[in-house]
Amino acid sequence: MRSITRFIAVLLLGAAPSFVHADGLPARFSLGKYVPGDWWMYMHFVHNPEREWLEKEWNEVWEALRNTGIDKDVLSLVFSALDDAQRTKTEATITQVKDLLGGVNWGDLLAKEFVVAERIAPPLPEYALLTRGADGSGAKNAPALAAILQYIASFNEKMQVTAEKRDNLDVWVLRVQGFPYSVHLFRKDDVIGLVTNQGTFDAVVGL
C-alpha cells in the first residue's frame, strides 16, 4: 500500500506544470523556435535541477516495478499459448526489439530538452518531436533510432528508409510507396528531431 501511495504522489508531482509566460521563457528553452507558430499543440520540457530529487524517486519506482518480475510473468503467459515454432519466432522478435530499443540511450536523448508539437493537416495530423540530448549523445542515438525505422520498414515491402544529407543535417526518411506520408529523422550535433511529412520537415529545419 505504501508503494502505491508513493507512486501516486510521485505521479502527481511530476505532472504539476511550471508556468511561464510565452514571451519570457528562460534561455534553456532553445528548441521552441523550431516549431512553426501556427501549430495548435506545443509542449516543451527542459531539465530542471530542482526536480532531481523527483527523478530519483521515479528511478526507485521503476526499479521496484522491474523487481516484481511482471515482465517475465506476461511473457510466460504469452508463450504458454504458442507452439514450439511460434515460441522460437516470438523469442527472436522480442530479442531483436529489445536490442534495438537498448541501442538508444533514452536518458541521454531527453537529458536537456524535449518538444512535442502537433498540427491538424488533413488527411492526417502532422507531428514534430525535438530533443536536445546530453553532450556527445547524438552521434550514437541518431543511428540507433534510424535502425528502429529500418526495422519498421522491414515489415512491408512498400516501406523504405533512405539516408540523406540536408546542409549540415544527417537525415533518414521513411517513405511508403503510394501513400502521401513520410517520417523524417534528423540530427545536428546533439539535437535530434522526428517529424512527419516533407512540408513539416522543411518548415522545422528552415526556422
Side-chain angles (χ1 to χ4, degrees), residues 144-166:
L145 289 167
I148 295 175
L149 284 185
Q150 292 278 10
Y151 179 71
I152 293 172
S154 70
F155 286 95
N156 192 312
E157 62 182 13
K158 292 185 177 182
M159 293 184 180
Q160 183 180 14
V161 175
T162 57
E164 306 171 3
K165 291 289 292 187
R166 170 81 173 255

Side-chain angles (χ1 to χ4, degrees), residues 61-115:
V61 168
W62 293 125
E63 185 64 28
L65 183 61
R66 281 194 294 268
N67 290 338
T68 64
I70 189 173
D71 56 332
K72 296 179 181 178
D73 292 339
V74 171
L75 288 177
S76 295
L77 181 62
V78 172
F79 289 150
S80 67
L82 304 178
D83 59 33
D84 290 343
Q86 292 173 323
R87 177 168 182 160
T88 299
K89 184 177 181 179
T90 302
E91 286 179 333
T93 300
I94 291 174
T95 298
Q96 187 174 8
V97 170
K98 288 176 65 175
D99 289 344
L100 286 168
L101 294 177
V104 180
N105 188 318
W106 300 97
D108 284 351
L109 179 67
L110 309 175
K112 294 185 178 181
E113 287 184 81
F114 181 43
V115 168

Side-chain angles (χ1 to χ4, degrees), residues 119-135:
R119 174 171 63 179
I120 302 300
L124 294 171
E126 296 181 354
Y127 298 94
L129 289 81
L130 306 172
T131 72
R132 184 181 299 278
D135 293 342

